[in-house]
Amino acid sequence: MCGRFVSTTEPEALVSLLDVTRWDPAEALAPSWNVAPTDLVPAVLERVDPDTGEVVRELRSLRWGLVPSWAKDRSGAARLINARSETVDQKPSFRKAFTTRRCVIPADGYYEWRPVPAAEGRKTYKQPYFLSTGGVLLMAGLYEFWRDASLPEDHPEAWLATATVLTTAATGPAARVHDRMPLLVPRAGLDSWLDPATTDRDELRQLLDTPAEDFAVRAVPTAVNRATTDGPELLTAAADPLGIADAA
């Protein structure tokens, strides 16, 4: 957790909703109902403009799967899609980004899976569930810039911008499906979470104590199990073999 999510909110809507002051329409991502690790994801972050010295809130496209700035290569990106909020300030892969490079990754909701035991004429399989609140989720994230030293600095692929999603212990309906869930940043706490001037670890840890959202849980088709499958039909309600989804 969180290993797949849905991202279909138009960038113009995110710009308005989250008070973004800078974004490049050329970077706009197509809607996806099955965002998978190493895909590009929308992220909102704040950085100091080198020309003006002002803090600018940006909507950017980052690759999902954090590559620390000190990594020898980018091969570990698919393994660092999540960071546990309880230890994020201690792990070498995340602690620097936690103090200086925080973001939110907007999502419509996310998927989680539960194994379904084998039965007569049927093998064991994983049943997917979609968890959402009916609004835009602001998943707490971290981002990093990694430099490929084998390429000239002006090469278009010399720099790689990546992100990870913070997770926390699942509560409420989400706990029916998995013991972890994405850490969500409440709209009222967005300014504090993104502010690059906030670097004190104790103060930042207080920001992690955010109230959990009440998720709706829906069983969805197993077609989402294939990362290459995409489309709104993935959110169609499906039969729930485990009886843990909300009543229709």
Side-chain angles (χ1 to χ4, degrees), residues 97-130:
F98 178 63
T99 57
T100 60
R101 288 180 288 278
R102 297 176 301 277
C103 65
V104 292
I105 299 173
D108 303 359
Y110 70 98
Y111 297 106
E112 199 53 78
W113 285 261
R114 285 281 298 271
V116 178
E120 185 176 349
R122 187 194 70 205
K123 296 181 180 179
T124 298
Y125 72 97
K126 290 185 177 181
Q127 173 60 46
Y129 293 86
F130 179 65

Side-chain angles (χ1 to χ4, degrees), residues 40-243:
L40 288 174
V41 299
V44 174
L45 52 93
E46 289 187 354
R47 289 178 60 78
V48 176
D49 187 300
D51 297 323
T52 66
E54 296 180 353
V55 174
V56 179
R57 183 168 295 183
E58 305 178 11
L59 174 62
R60 300 184 60 147
S61 298
L62 306 177
R63 195 164 297 281
W64 187 19
L66 192 114
V67 178
S69 59
W70 44 260
K72 293 182 178 179
D73 56 50
R74 63 180 75 192
S75 61
R79 296 193 300 272
L80 297 181
I81 61 169
N82 291 159
R84 294 177 68 93
S85 61
E86 298 88 342
T87 57
V88 68
D89 60 339
Q90 304 166 32
K91 299 295 184 181
S93 295
F94 306 121
R95 61 190 178 197
K96 181 62 175 176
F98 178 63
T99 57
T100 60
R101 288 180 288 278
R102 297 176 301 277
C103 65
V104 292
I105 299 173
D108 303 359
Y110 70 98
Y111 297 106
E112 199 53 78
W113 285 261
R114 285 281 298 271
V116 178
E120 185 176 349
R122 187 194 70 205
K123 296 181 180 179
T124 298
Y125 72 97
K126 290 185 177 181
Q127 173 60 46
Y129 293 86
F130 179 65
L131 295 90
S132 65
T133 63
V136 176
L137 307 179
L138 301 181
M139 300 190 296
L142 310 175
Y143 68 97
E144 272 284 13
F145 295 104
W146 178 78
R147 169 81 164 88
D148 188 340
S150 68
L151 299 173
E153 188 167 356
D154 60 353
H155 191 283
E157 297 181 5
W159 290 91
L160 179 67
T162 61
T164 190
V165 173
L166 271 63
T167 67
T168 188
T171 59
R176 286 187 245 141
V177 189
H178 199 275
D179 62 351
R180 304 291 294 178
M181 60 187 282
L183 178 72
L184 302 181
V185 176
R187 184 65 183 83
L190 182 63
D191 294 349
S192 297
W193 176 252
L194 296 183
D195 188 356
T198 304
T199 59
D200 181 79
R201 290 191 180 186
D202 291 336
E203 185 176 350
L204 288 168
R205 288 218 61 84
Q206 292 179 11
L207 297 178
L208 298 180
D209 296 327
T210 58
E213 294 277 356
D214 230 1
F215 285 99
V217 180
R218 179 165 81 243
V220 293
T222 56
V224 74
N225 296 3
R226 295 184 296 276
T228 55
T229 305
D230 201 355
E233 65 277 5
L234 296 180
L235 296 185
T236 304
D240 178 16
L242 300 176

